[in-house]
Amino acid sequence: MAAQLLGDMGAEVIKVESRVRLDGLRLGRPMIGEDIAGGDRGLWPELQPLFHSLNRNKLSVTLNLKTADGLRLALDLIARSDVVLNNYSPGVLKRLGLDYPELRRVRPDIVLVSMPSVGETGPLRDILAYAPIIQALSGLMSMVGYQEDEPLVGELQSPWSDSVSSVQAALAVVAALWHRSRTGEGQSIEVAQLEATTSMLGEALLDYQMTGSVAQPKGNYDSEFAPHNNYPCDGDDKWVAIAVRTEEEWRGFCQALGSPDWAIDGRFKDRYGRLQHHADLDRHVGEWTRGRSPVEITEILQGYGVAAMPVMNIEDQFMDPHLRERQAFAEVEHPHLGAEWLYGMPWLLSGTPGSIRTAAPLVGQHNEYVLGHLLGLPAEEMERLQAEQVIY
Amino acid sequence: MEWGNFVSGPFCGKVLAELGAQVIKVEPPLLGDDSRRHGPFPSHIPDPERSGLFLFANINKRGLTLDPAKASGRRILDSLLDSADIFLENQTPDLMNRLALDYESLKIRHPGLIVTSITPYGLTGPYAGHRGYDLTANALGGLSFGTGYPHREPLTTPMYQASFLAGVAAAFATVVALLGRNMTGQGQQVDVAEAQVISVLLSGYHLPTYIYRGVAGWRSGNRMRLGLFPNCVLPCKDGYVCIDAPQLEQYQRFLSLMQDQDWTQNPRYRNRRAMSEEYPEEAEALITPWFMQHTKEEILRICLENRVPCAPVRNIDEVLDDDQLNSRDYFQDLDHPEAGTLRYPGPAYRLSETPCRNVRPAPTLGQHNVEILCGELGMEPSELTGLARAGVI
């Protein structure tokens, strides 16, 4: 994802892969269904939709880095690159002879980025960790749940730490390129995913030091807001988020509801009272929301200057005119799947906007362009290396 | 120049400052940033100079009080923007338009300026004018829908994490714009919507599941759905652990740790996809007893030795004590004139040539007014009295 973010913003990204061990996201039975796959298992690595989002705009070369020739070609490519980005386990680059000192020999101003789970050093260095495990170690997971005395929920249904680390790594890359533009100097960057996740939890870490409280799950309660919750609406699993902070917003909220008797109850008169009695307040609000749709409530409350928004699932988002207009989804032509929807742009820049220029590459799709054209490898040499499973 | 408030704008400024940017933070006179009233406070005693959220999100910045809505405030802001590379803000779009501080107005005088706006929903689109906070951004972003139990209300992300991530995202997009300026000589507008960052970079993972399997969303409590068993949070002797072992070898190494493995011969428990999607409670009940016999630290040690992807759910006090983080000197002690010495989490990355450094703690309110207005803009100290009286600074 880090490389994809850079690719979206205009970088030419060469993905080095190999049939010896394909990118994990290319493996397994694709979710697109047997009819589309046409029963051809050999096509499976090309039919993985998530891979297509994460690898759009990239070029693919297949190099077997376990061969001397494969390594040499990789170094030739690195010599022509600004950045090398990897998320292998600690020690792998060094074993391959591709660690920072080696890369600097072929490209003195190279920017090397590594993204180990918990770091290249330390007692847990070799831990096997996917995003949820990083979230567990960071402390974030301990705060995900309804209340302190209920079983912990813990999981977010999306790989939070992967995305967080990717954005942070992409930021470190462009910061390093900015430094290089002023000094000519490259550098080596380590983005430990655990540290990237923990770096955003300062409030809880300071809370413990200042008050001795260990952060606990607290549902949707927030000490700044009341009401502040996702409220049940008309329909199956339909919810609306409502957040009221200021007195002005509270007055708007009461008006929007037609100033019901309960709202002018002295208990809810000021924010302190509303926070004290937030459970009762939530009950009253829920009674009002229950008979209405999330969209209807959002329109009513926003009309009175109150923050409200439907709690959207991916279908709601996909159909949402706002996210559509802001290019949160993109349709891209894939050679095997035809028109395919991918996630789109996470941010909008007026002068140098990002773009999706090409679909994710097929395995080795750009061997000819990258190795033949960019590196100038003669055709007969390419053939030999293919036969020897170096380009493989 | 940062005119940020609460989390997303300030954290973006913090991240850029940590990377070496000189950040001047503009705060409203007298009141300051809202996060000064948020806390946590030492011993729970409110004090705008000792709010943990403010102290954390504003490290390394210099602080200036200024009201850009007043004519003299605007003149000062414009003078400061003359020599700035970036103007970063997360005010409401409505306010920025009213004050003619939107990009189109700013670029007339400051064509090279990069203007980064972070808002809940963005500066364009049907919801551009809508009011929003972290809760509603998470709702539109789709992260809330999936968090929690199926029969209960969806849960927003704790500790304003959507706003924090949007801050980092905005920092990336801003530095991209700086690199763009190297090539074009032009500034530009960077429009970052908290909801969109979450929608694309997190909910985007679910798009194929929706398109190809018709699954629009779910909540599944302590377990991840649509994968291979086990991928869940389970109780252990002294807390919780998280296990996520998709690869067959990982799962087999995990099973080999358990005494009772007879159940693994039952065909019902050989289909890991069905165990994850169809009867997860039943499947989890088979492995929970092993976890309940061990403590978090025992489980961490055993799973590390046996290469099983499983780790304790750390509580926040345990994170501060964590050997892994501490062996790498991750936390950084920083002394603040009012709040004293506290341990702050470090940056997300380690750069070999331009390491992140803490130059100063978060500013006290208006701490650098004299330094900036007199020292850098050349104003007379006597002018500051008048500006203060008029509520401009």
Side-chain angles (χ1 to χ4, degrees):
Chain A
M1 183 182 272
Q4 169 242 309
L5 296 175
L6 295 164
D8 280 7
M9 300 315 298
E12 183 177 67
V13 179
I14 300 170
K15 184 179 178 76
V16 176
E17 46 186 346
S18 172
R19 289 191 167 81
V20 174
R21 189 177 168 206
L22 286 172
D23 185 321
L25 278 184
R26 285 200 188 268
L27 302 177
R29 180 188 295 272
M31 65 164 66
I32 57 167
E34 287 299 322
D35 47 336
I36 305 180
D40 181 354
R41 293 180 68 121
L43 269 184
W44 280 9
E46 310 299 357
L47 303 175
Q48 310 281 355
L50 188 53
F51 181 90
H52 297 163
S53 272
L54 285 159
N55 293 284
R56 76 269 192 108
N57 288 331
K58 298 183 190 175
L59 306 170
S60 164
V61 295
T62 48
L63 289 179
N64 180 353
L65 298 180
K66 290 181 174 142
T67 64
D69 282 333
L71 261 183
R72 183 176 51 77
L73 288 171
L75 284 166
D76 287 349
L77 280 176
I78 289 165
R80 289 156 178 268
S81 299
D82 299 297
V83 178
V84 172
L85 197 150
N86 86 98
N87 66 336
Y88 284 106
S89 303
V92 170
L93 282 202
K94 193 168 168 69
R95 262 200 318 279
L96 287 170
L98 291 174
D99 56 347
Y100 185 52
E102 290 300 319
L103 300 198
R104 280 188 70 172
R105 289 213 319 219
V106 299
R107 175 85 188 197
D109 64 353
I110 196 77
V111 173
L112 170 65
V113 189
S114 301
M115 300 179 66
S117 300
V118 300
E120 284 165 353
T121 58
L124 299 187
R125 184 184 63 219
D126 295 320
I127 195 170
L128 290 179
Y130 301 96
I133 289 175
I134 305 287
Q135 289 152 224
L137 288 170
S138 73
L140 176 64
M141 201 172 248
S142 73
M143 301 176 229
V144 179
Y146 289 90
Q147 315 192 69
E148 191 172 344
D149 53 2
E150 290 192 58
L152 187 71
V153 170
E155 298 279 9
L156 306 170
Q157 291 299 315
S158 306
W160 175 258
S161 288
D162 284 333
S163 300
V164 167
S165 310
S166 301
V167 181
Q168 304 261 26
L171 168 60
V173 168
V174 289
L177 289 176
W178 173 252
H179 176 71
R180 194 192 67 173
S181 76
R182 306 200 305 174
T183 63
E185 191 177 58
Q187 56 188 315
S188 165
I189 300 166
E190 182 193 9
V191 187
Q193 298 180 37
L194 173 60
E195 293 173 352
T197 308
T198 310
S199 74
M200 309 199 308
L201 296 174
E203 184 188 341
L205 291 160
L206 290 178
D207 193 5
Y208 176 67
Q209 297 171 68
M210 289 175 154
T211 70
S213 0
V214 175
Q216 297 292 331
K218 49 177 188 168
N220 292 317
Y221 174 82
D222 187 295
S223 61
E224 294 269 339
F225 300 80
H228 188 270
N229 213 334
N230 297 318
Y231 296 93
C233 297
D234 185 34
D236 181 29
D237 210 10
K238 299 288 181 198
W239 307 81
V240 67
I242 301 173
V244 174
R245 187 176 191 184
T246 64
E247 292 307 315
E248 183 199 346
E249 288 169 355
W250 171 249
R251 284 192 294 275
F253 180 76
C254 293
Q255 276 175 20
L257 271 65
S259 304
D261 289 344
W262 62 262
I264 45 177
D265 185 324
R267 291 183 305 166
F268 302 141
K269 203 162 183 163
D270 56 27
R271 184 164 73 168
Y272 182 73
R274 293 192 290 275
L275 282 163
Q276 289 277 305
H277 305 287
H278 67 93
D280 276 346
L281 183 57
D282 276 350
R283 200 168 40 76
H284 286 297
V285 178
E287 279 162 16
W288 180 74
T289 57
R290 208 176 289 276
R292 295 170 171 81
S293 78
V295 170
E296 183 191 348
I297 290 166
T298 300
E299 279 172 7
I300 295 173
L301 292 182
Q302 289 286 356
Y304 285 88
V306 174
M309 195 51 70
V311 179
M312 295 198 187
N313 61 27
I314 186 69
E315 180 175 53
D316 302 325
Q317 294 183 296
F318 189 64
M319 303 298 177
D320 185 72
H322 183 80
L323 292 172
R324 278 292 174 99
E325 184 176 325
R326 290 180 57 83
Q327 307 166 45
F329 303 98
E331 199 175 25
V332 179
E333 193 69 20
H334 186 273
H336 291 297
L337 293 177
E340 187 183 23
W341 283 101
L342 309 178
Y343 65 72
M345 290 296 139
W347 37 68
L348 303 179
L349 280 73
S350 65
T352 58
S355 61
I356 302 182
R357 303 172 296 283
T358 57
L362 309 176
V363 180
Q365 184 183 342
H366 303 95
N367 285 344
E368 179 59 45
Y369 169 74
V370 174
L371 302 174
H373 177 73
L374 287 185
L375 289 188
L377 222 56
E380 56 276 19
E381 176 81 347
M382 290 265 293
E383 267 170 46
R384 179 182 70 82
L385 292 170
Q386 267 156 358
E388 292 174 6
Q389 298 197 341
V390 171
I391 300 173
Y392 177 69
Chain B
M1 292 297 303
E2 173 205 309
W3 192 26
N5 190 47
F6 213 60
V7 173
S8 62
F11 195 67
C12 179
K14 185 245 187 196
V15 161
L16 292 171
E18 205 167 50
L19 284 164
Q22 295 179 38
V23 177
I24 296 176
K25 179 183 178 71
V26 172
E27 294 184 77
L30 301 177
L31 280 176
D33 190 314
D34 279 335
S35 65
R36 289 183 180 273
R37 285 169 293 287
H38 177 77
F41 300 106
S43 312
H44 300 289
I45 300 165
D47 177 343
E49 298 300 354
R50 300 204 219 180
S51 166
L53 182 59
F54 180 85
L55 294 173
F56 167 56
N58 294 286
I59 296 171
N60 285 332
K61 302 175 191 173
R62 292 190 298 161
L64 172 71
T65 52
L66 191 70
D67 180 1
K70 296 203 161 67
S72 0
R74 175 59 189 265
R75 273 197 299 277
I76 292 171
L77 181 64
D78 269 324
S79 306
L80 288 166
L81 289 178
D82 284 341
S83 57
D85 298 299
I86 299 162
F87 182 43
L88 160 66
E89 58 89 13
N90 68 327
Q91 310 293 331
T92 63
D94 179 47
L95 178 68
M96 297 307 278
N97 288 328
R98 223 163 52 226
L99 298 182
L101 282 170
D102 58 297
Y103 180 66
E104 292 306 315
S105 309
L106 282 169
K107 81 170 181 192
I108 297 167
R109 173 162 171 171
H110 311 285
L113 191 65
I114 288 143
V115 179
T116 299
S117 300
I118 313 175
T119 53
Y121 318 121
L123 299 178
T124 61
Y127 311 151
H130 279 19
R131 187 152 318 194
Y133 293 108
D134 196 87
L135 178 88
T136 52
N138 267 314
L140 175 57
L143 202 53
S144 299
F145 191 92
T147 309
Y149 295 113
H151 56 286
R152 302 271 300 270
E153 74 273 19
L155 294 172
T156 194
T157 321
M159 297 274 164
Y160 310 120
Q161 289 296 291
S163 302
F164 278 102
L165 182 57
V168 181
F172 168 67
T174 301
V175 183
V176 168
L178 273 180
L179 290 171
R181 197 181 62 176
N182 275 356
M183 294 186 261
T184 65
Q186 294 297 308
Q188 59 180 304
Q189 177 181 51
V190 176
D191 170 6
V192 179
E194 292 159 19
Q196 188 168 3
V197 168
I198 297 292
S199 172
V200 171
L201 298 182
L202 287 143
S203 303
Y205 286 103
H206 300 305
L207 189 60
T209 321
Y210 167 61
I211 289 182
Y212 295 104
R213 295 181 64 174
V215 181
W218 65 84
R219 282 186 302 292
S220 48
N222 62 310
R223 58 189 69 98
M224 301 290 277
R225 236 184 86 183
L226 302 178
L228 295 178
F229 180 81
N231 189 349
C232 51
V233 173
L234 293 172
C236 67
K237 204 170 179 179
D238 60 345
Y240 292 92
V241 293
C242 175
I243 181 166
D244 177 4
Q247 293 179 15
L248 184 60
E249 313 83 70
Q250 295 165 347
Y251 181 55
Q252 284 169 337
R253 290 197 295 264
F254 170 65
L255 292 181
S256 74
L257 301 174
M258 276 179 284
Q259 302 290 320
D260 168 28
Q261 296 174 43
D262 291 348
W263 58 268
T264 60
Q265 301 309 310
N266 183 341
R268 186 168 171 82
Y269 305 131
R270 298 188 75 82
N271 182 342
R272 296 173 63 204
R273 196 168 290 280
M275 288 164 82
S276 173
E277 292 183 25
E278 291 165 35
Y279 35 91
E281 289 94 343
E282 192 183 321
E284 285 165 18
L286 297 166
I287 61 170
T288 303
W290 184 81
F291 289 111
M292 291 303 288
Q293 287 159 16
H294 297 90
T295 63
K296 291 203 247 187
E297 289 316 301
E298 285 164 6
I299 292 163
L300 177 61
R301 184 181 49 77
I302 296 169
C303 289
L304 196 59
E305 275 168 15
N306 291 278
R307 306 201 41 76
V308 174
C310 174
V313 176
R314 295 259 195 245
N315 293 324
I316 276 297
D317 53 334
E318 297 167 330
V319 174
L320 272 168
D321 258 350
D322 182 68
D323 287 344
Q324 173 64 26
L325 291 168
N326 286 314
S327 76
R328 293 162 55 80
D329 295 323
Y330 177 65
F331 297 104
Q332 299 172 355
D333 288 342
L334 199 55
D335 189 36
H336 182 274
E338 302 285 337
T341 302
L342 292 160
R343 313 202 83 185
Y344 295 81
Y349 25 65
R350 293 157 192 263
L351 294 95
S352 64
E353 306 306 311
T354 56
C356 297
R357 281 199 196 95
N358 287 331
V359 181
R360 53 168 64 87
T364 57
L365 189 59
Q367 185 182 348
H368 301 94
N369 282 8
V370 175
E371 182 180 312
I372 293 164
L373 298 177
C374 302
E376 283 155 43
L377 291 187
M379 294 169 71
E380 292 301 323
S382 57
E383 286 179 77
L384 269 49
T385 316
L387 287 168
R389 242 184 245 130
V392 175
I393 64 170

